[in-house]
Amino acid sequence: METIPGESNNQLALTTPEAQPIKRRKKKSMVWEYFTIENVSAGCRRAYCKRCKQSFAYSTGSKVAGTSHLKRHIAKGTCRALLRGQGQDNNQFITPYNPKMGGSEPPKRRYRSPSSPFIPFDQDRCRHEIARMIIMHEYPLHIVEHPGFIAFVQNLQPQFDKMSFNTVQGDCVATYLREKQSLMNFIEGIPGRFCLTLDMWSSNQTLGYVFITGHFVDSGWKLHRRVFNVVMEPYPDSHSALSHAIAACLSDWSLEGKLFSLTFNHPLSEAGLENLRPLLCVKNPLILNGQLLIRNCIARTMSSMAKDVLGAGQEIIKKIRDSVKYVKMSESHDDKFIQVKNQLQVPSEKSLFLDNQTQWNTTYQMLAAASELKEVFDCLDTYDPDYKLAPSMEDWKLAETLCSFLKPLFDAASILTTTTLPTVITFFYEVWKIHVDLGRSITSEDPFISNLAKAMQEKIDKYWKDCSLVLAMAVVMDPRFKMKLVEFSFTKIYGEDAPTYIKT
């Protein structure tokens, strides 16, 4: 083909058949956002990276190299300019994401398809998600500086900037402030009052932390539970510790005049109570002059009663725990135990397990299971001469007595914790039942049973004295019961004095 003098190379390229615009389809690949095509010589064109200016083969004559090698240059992070964060439009770098792709090695080819969309990289969004991850799973803030975490993130996305402890701390605080503002906007429209529960935790530095949780019902009658504040108290045993925490919470969340009741899991002294009630009455007009204000925690009360039982039988509990440990700590011992159980044809379906000594309910379950299998323990030494820990018949009798005190507490705790949103009527009935059972035990001729029942009844009496009014109000408002259940229950508890309490 003859050339016309004076025409440039670009004009020459336009006259070739493969370069005619009307015959070329529009470039749709994502790589053309990062590459330009330049003519090097007649029939030869190369692709140049806009960032690092590195050139790549594109076409020679009628042969076209394609775009796969150009994608690898961008997507695999081999472009040094992109790694340094140089060049314009850096935040718009697009990386492919395929949630179904497995394996530790990245794919060699990445194509745009409905199953693998191209998602723009967003540094701020990634920082926000890391903060959420740390908050949700309670990871240490220093995780962002751990070498393993840094290597993992760099392999996922080389463009992601490393974060410092101070940065992620600021992001977590910012997340908290956003959530707090959202919750404040929500509770502004709550028509009813708020109930607060307070948990006191102590650190090994003897510092106290008051966790204040709010419970309220929205306009659609849906129950909500939100943690409002965590207040550090340097002197948790002081009479003003809880007063300061509550006052700070009410002011922080603008709850003055909206408070209904307070429930504590921490024993509140009389001096602390006298300090707290006047403080709240100043800015909070209370229902029934504050008669419903201070409440004790039923879980705390039952836990304290259970500790009385475990303390009274700690010696026998240790014997049984050691026997269970002997069986469960060796597979051969466990096999012999099962063999003896099968030969004796013991009907119990319970299995032995070691308790968590910080959770009284697991200790009860251990005692209950071992008591049903006491015959197996009594005969185990004939099959296993190394076993010399068998409790005596008196020990098993005492263990059964302990279980008789723990079972009502365990059953009540199971109902109140496993039932979805248990009603106040459920609390009323379970507390009343425990109270009546202890009343019968006090009349026992066995001094051990009688004395233990008296110690437990003192604590359930205190809870009943503080909470029976609000519990009874809920029962009366239930059209299924009205006053009938209150009259029946109070008669069983108070006897001849019942009419006075019923009238109240």
Side-chain angles (χ1 to χ4, degrees), residues 380-415:
L380 184 60
D381 56 351
T382 59
Y383 293 83
D384 187 353
D386 294 333
Y387 176 68
K388 304 181 184 302
L389 304 171
S392 64
M393 292 303 297
E394 291 297 324
D395 292 335
W396 287 119
K397 183 179 179 181
L398 181 58
E400 291 174 355
T401 300
L402 298 178
C403 288
S404 67
F405 279 104
L406 291 173
K407 186 177 187 304
L409 302 178
F410 178 82
D411 292 341
S414 299
I415 292 173

Side-chain angles (χ1 to χ4, degrees), residues 5 156 179 200 236 246 260 317-318 328 338 381 397 466 474:
L156 282 179
E179 294 294 330
M200 175 73 81
I246 295 170
F260 180 78
I317 292 174
K318 184 180 184 305
K328 302 305 293 183
I338 295 176
D381 56 351
K397 183 179 179 181
D466 292 338

Side-chain angles (χ1 to χ4, degrees), residues 333-348:
H333 295 170
D334 197 12
D335 292 340
K336 290 180 181 178
F337 187 87
I338 295 176
Q339 180 183 357
V340 176
K341 177 185 175 183
N342 293 334
Q343 289 186 359
L344 296 176
Q345 297 182 352
V346 178
S348 174

Side-chain angles (χ1 to χ4, degrees), residues 193 250 255-259 279-286:
R193 291 186 173 236
L250 295 179
L255 296 180
E256 289 88 352
K258 297 183 178 181
L259 183 62
L279 171 68
L280 296 176
C281 290
V282 173
K283 295 184 178 180
N284 291 272
L286 300 172

Side-chain angles (χ1 to χ4, degrees), residues 8-34:
S8 64
N9 289 336
N10 288 337
Q11 292 173 317
L12 177 63
L14 292 174
T15 61
T16 60
E18 65 274 16
Q20 292 181 9
I22 59 174
K23 293 185 179 181
R24 291 189 59 82
R25 60 183 179 177
K26 184 179 180 181
K27 296 181 177 64
K28 296 181 179 181
S29 176
M30 51 82 69
V31 301
W32 302 121
E33 298 178 20
Y34 308 97

Side-chain angles (χ1 to χ4, degrees), residues 138-154:
E138 300 180 1
Y139 294 142
L141 298 181
H142 284 290
I143 190 176
V144 296
E145 296 178 345
H146 293 173
F149 180 82
I150 294 174
F152 172 72
V153 173
Q154 288 296 320

Side-chain angles (χ1 to χ4, degrees), residues 55-252:
S55 67
F56 297 85
Y58 179 67
S59 67
T60 304
S62 60
K63 185 178 180 181
V64 179
T67 59
S68 297
H69 60 307
L70 306 181
K71 289 181 180 179
R72 287 194 293 270
H73 177 69
I74 298 296
K76 286 192 174 183
T78 56
C79 179
R80 296 180 180 179
L82 282 176
L83 290 177
R84 291 193 303 267
Q86 295 178 355
Q88 57 184 353
D89 298 331
N90 186 44
N91 285 335
Q92 299 302 318
F93 170 56
I94 297 177
T95 56
Y97 167 73
N98 186 354
K100 298 182 180 179
M101 191 172 295
S104 58
E105 293 295 329
K108 293 184 178 182
R109 296 184 180 182
R110 300 180 181 182
Y111 299 101
R112 186 191 298 269
S113 66
S115 61
S116 59
F118 292 104
I119 300 177
F121 170 68
D122 189 334
Q123 175 80 16
D124 293 336
R125 179 170 57 85
C126 291
R127 284 177 48 181
H128 173 68
E129 292 301 325
I130 288 179
R132 282 175 50 85
M133 174 190 73
I134 290 175
I135 294 171
M136 289 173 60
H137 303 291
E138 300 180 1
Y139 294 142
L141 298 181
H142 284 290
I143 190 176
V144 296
E145 296 178 345
H146 293 173
F149 180 82
I150 294 174
F152 172 72
V153 173
Q154 288 296 320
N155 278 280
L156 282 179
Q157 176 51 264
Q159 275 194 291
F160 183 77
D161 295 333
K162 291 191 296 184
M163 299 175 64
S164 66
F165 173 89
N166 292 333
T167 300
V168 73
Q169 183 184 48
D171 290 345
C172 290
V173 172
T175 301
Y176 161 75
L177 293 176
R178 285 195 300 269
E179 294 294 330
K180 179 181 179 181
Q181 186 60 49
S182 175
L183 180 57
M184 291 188 71
N185 295 337
F186 175 66
I187 66 177
E188 283 181 358
I190 298 300
R193 291 186 173 236
F194 292 77
C195 299
L196 301 181
T197 57
L198 285 81
D199 297 326
M200 175 73 81
W201 291 8
S202 298
S203 69
N204 51 13
Q205 291 90 13
T206 67
L207 294 175
Y209 293 88
V210 183
F211 287 72
I212 303 179
T213 306
H215 306 261
F216 56 93
V217 178
D218 63 17
S219 56
W221 290 94
K222 181 180 179 182
L223 181 62
H224 293 266
R225 177 179 180 272
R226 298 287 189 274
V227 177
F228 282 164
N229 289 85
V230 179
V231 183
M232 186 185 76
E233 291 295 337
Y235 306 101
D237 296 329
S238 66
H239 299 319
S240 60
L242 295 177
S243 301
H244 171 262
I246 295 170
C249 176
L250 295 179
S251 175
D252 191 21

